């Protein structure tokens, strides 16, 4: 199997970092000053053609059928309510589309949002509920099970080792490349994913929510816009399967995703100030719930700090991501744990220290604390 050389990894890392720094310095500012509008959405019906996805022998249902039906229903609702929004499908029929091409379709059409629709499956028939994924490097056992299943589609593609540069969905070492990804639209993706889960909890026919999750999913890897992968239920669970086999319920699910889209578009088109309820983050009985940390030590008056990283999960002291930094401040803001260092009276003073910190944290930047 071809492997990534150190030089290739560095080139990829520097390119992605440059892209991150170029696009990140506040989506909110671009939305306010540039008058951004959500004009194009790409809807991806997962699997298709000779790739059925999950299959239920009990009901003769296949994931590819449900995905396509939901995608068309969602697209029709968006076109009906927002005729000025361009809706593009990665497939409108039962055909096979390579994972890389699905993201390429979104990129070529300069999409503002990418929604990939899937149905889950598990060895345990008790696993049930909905969950929405964003691109990330969380490699917990349950998330990696989804990754391996969804990413294994590439094995059905011709010359997949060249297209995906040696990536092997069954080899844990292959996922190291995802540690280089700097998703410039991470917070927007999280915001949309949370809106989807909120709708499922409030209105969906399957109300059990497994939350918003991060995972290294190939279909989201190269998209250059807010992107999510929605798992609408488990085909391996009898209750979820019965729900998904009903056309009225599938319309309700499509309507839930549409309402999330409408809410997301409203904010996207206005000031871009996305917020969400942290309660919709990953929630499993076998894992500790996400809880906000204790308030950071108070610092009197406005000042400047240098943010070194942000995470959707709380980092422990000594976490590799902190790279040995012992003195830092942690703040829980809009569902993110944000880590910063320093206490500067002026922006200029903070900026003078930034280059030294960027040697260890290339994505670090100055923030004002009021």
């Amino acid at each position: 199997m071809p492997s990534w050389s150190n030089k290739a990894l560095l080139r990829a890392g520097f390119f992605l970092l440059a892209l991150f720094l170029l696009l990140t310095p506040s989506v909110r500012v671009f939305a306010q000053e540039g008058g951004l509008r959500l004009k194009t959405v790409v809807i991806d019906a997962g699997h298709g053609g000779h790739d059925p996805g999950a299959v239920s022998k009990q009901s003769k249902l296949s994931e590819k059928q449900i995905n396509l039906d939901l995608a068309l229903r969602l697209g029709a609702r968006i076109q009906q309510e927002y005729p000025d929004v361009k809706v593009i499908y990665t497939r409108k029929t039962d055909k096979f589309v390579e994972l890389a091409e699905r993201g390429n379709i979104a990129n070529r059409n300069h999409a503002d949002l990418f929604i990939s629709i899937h149905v889950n499956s598990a060895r345990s028939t008790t696993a049930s509920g909905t969950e929405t994924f964003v691109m990330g490097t969380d490699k917990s056992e349950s998330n990696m099970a989804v990754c391996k299943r969804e990413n294994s589609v590439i094995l059905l593609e011709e010359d997949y080792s060249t297209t995906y540069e040696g990536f092997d969905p069954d080899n844990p070492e292959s996922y190291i490349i995802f540690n280089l990804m700097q998703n410039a639209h991470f917070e927007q993706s999280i915001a949309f994913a949370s809106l989807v889960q909120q709708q499922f909890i409030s209105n969906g026919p399957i109300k059990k929510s497994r939350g918003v999750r991060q995972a290294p999913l190939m279909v989201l890897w190269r998209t250059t816009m807010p992107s999510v992968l929605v798992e609408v239920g488990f085909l391996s669970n009898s209750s979820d399967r019965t729900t998904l086999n009903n056309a009225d319920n599938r319309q309700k699910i499509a309507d839930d995703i549409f309402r999330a889209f409408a809410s997301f578009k409203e904010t996207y088109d206005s000031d871009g100030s996305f917020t969400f309820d942290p309660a919709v983050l990953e929630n499993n009985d076998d894992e500790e719930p996400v809880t906000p940390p204790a308030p950071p030590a108070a610092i009197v008056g406005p000042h400047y700090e240098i943010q070194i990283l942000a995470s959707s999960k709380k980092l422990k002291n000594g976490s590799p991501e902190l790279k040995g930094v012992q003195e830092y401040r942690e703040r829980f803001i809009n569902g993110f744990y944000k880590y910063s260092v320093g206490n500067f009276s002026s922006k200029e003073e903070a900026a003078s220290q930034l280059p030294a910190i960027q040697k260890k944290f290339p994505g670090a930047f100055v923030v004002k604390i009021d």
Side-chain angles (χ1 to χ4, degrees):
M1 181 190 76
S3 61
W4 282 79
S5 67
N6 290 337
K7 186 178 293 185
L9 285 169
L10 286 173
R11 280 201 303 268
F14 283 129
F15 169 77
L16 293 167
L17 177 60
L19 182 64
F20 174 77
L21 294 176
L22 176 64
L23 299 178
T24 297
S26 187
V27 173
R28 182 179 305 174
V29 171
F30 281 113
Q32 290 174 334
E33 298 180 359
L36 277 182
R37 293 291 182 270
L38 201 164
K39 299 177 181 178
T40 304
V41 57
V42 169
I43 304 175
D44 171 45
H47 306 280
H50 60 275
D51 169 28
V55 177
S56 168
K57 295 181 180 178
Q58 295 90 336
S59 58
K60 297 182 180 180
L61 269 180
S62 67
E63 179 186 354
K64 68 176 184 178
Q65 297 170 309
I66 299 173
N67 296 343
L68 182 58
D69 184 58
L70 287 171
L72 296 175
R73 289 175 186 272
L74 172 60
R77 183 73 191 276
I78 292 175
Q79 289 177 314
Q80 177 184 351
E81 301 293 338
Y82 295 98
D84 58 325
V85 172
K86 186 176 183 180
V87 176
I88 297 172
Y89 302 90
T90 57
R91 67 181 182 96
K92 296 180 71 174
T93 60
D94 183 19
K95 70 174 184 178
F96 180 77
V97 182
E98 295 182 351
L99 283 184
E101 178 59 14
R102 295 169 189 263
N104 289 340
I105 290 171
N107 294 340
R108 284 198 302 269
N109 288 279
H110 306 289
D112 302 302
L113 181 64
F114 178 83
I115 307 170
S116 186
I117 298 175
H118 289 255
V119 181
N120 223 328
S121 181
R123 291 183 179 180
S124 171
T125 58
T126 61
S128 66
T130 64
E131 55 194 359
T132 303
F133 286 87
V134 301
M135 182 64 197
T137 57
D138 183 348
K139 296 187 285 294
S140 64
E141 183 176 351
S142 57
N143 290 1
M144 286 304 293
V146 174
C147 287
K148 289 182 179 180
R149 182 170 59 82
E150 299 296 358
N151 291 340
S152 65
V153 174
I154 69 172
L155 301 178
L156 301 177
E157 302 177 17
E158 294 183 6
D159 198 21
Y160 73 87
S161 63
T162 299
T163 302
Y164 300 97
E165 303 171 85
F167 178 84
D168 179 356
D170 291 322
N171 184 357
E173 293 182 1
S174 288
Y175 288 91
I176 190 174
I177 183 59
F178 290 103
N179 289 325
L180 295 173
M181 299 305 295
Q182 296 282 0
N183 190 344
H185 302 283
F186 180 72
E187 293 194 29
Q188 288 180 314
S189 299
I190 286 280
F192 179 67
S194 71
L195 289 170
V196 172
Q197 289 304 122
Q198 286 170 349
Q199 287 296 328
F200 284 160
I201 293 170
S202 300
N203 306 300
I206 300 176
K207 296 189 181 299
K208 180 179 178 180
S209 172
R210 295 165 62 88
V212 174
R213 297 165 170 251
Q214 296 180 65
L217 293 158
M218 294 296 296
V219 74
L220 305 180
W221 181 25
R222 292 173 177 172
T223 55
T224 57
M225 71 289 301
S227 305
V228 303
L229 185 148
V230 184
E231 298 275 7
V232 298
F234 280 76
L235 203 55
S236 51
N237 178 271
S238 60
S239 177
D240 286 8
R241 184 171 59 248
T242 299
T243 299
L244 294 170
N245 198 23
N246 182 280
D248 289 339
N249 286 331
R250 293 198 298 273
Q251 185 61 53
K252 291 178 182 178
I253 293 170
D255 288 343
D256 286 339
I257 302 174
F258 166 76
R259 281 188 288 268
F261 169 85
S263 179
F264 181 84
K265 176 174 168 53
E266 181 180 359
T267 302
Y268 187 98
D269 290 355
S270 56
D271 65 355
S273 300
F274 291 100
T275 60
F276 62 91
D277 182 359
V280 303
L281 290 172
E282 186 171 337
N283 181 21
N284 284 303
D285 295 337
D286 57 346
E287 297 180 7
E288 294 182 6
V290 175
T291 55
I299 300 176
V300 178
H303 64 284
Y304 293 86
E305 297 177 10
I306 297 176
Q307 182 171 311
I308 56 176
L309 60 92
S311 171
S312 64
K313 290 192 174 182
K314 180 181 176 65
L315 300 179
K316 298 179 180 178
N317 290 331
S319 293
E321 293 88 344
L322 293 170
K323 300 181 180 181
V325 174
Q326 299 294 324
E327 296 184 7
Y328 57 84
R329 295 180 186 86
E330 176 189 87
R331 293 179 175 86
F332 191 75
I333 303 173
N334 290 338
F336 293 92
Y337 297 91
K338 299 190 177 185
Y339 297 85
S340 59
V341 296
N343 176 17
F344 308 98
S345 58
S346 69
K347 185 177 181 179
E348 291 72 22
E349 182 184 3
S352 69
Q353 300 299 314
L354 183 60
I357 293 175
Q358 285 179 330
K359 290 180 180 179
K360 181 173 285 190
F361 299 93
F365 57 93
V366 175
V367 293
K368 184 178 180 181
I369 307 297
D370 295 317

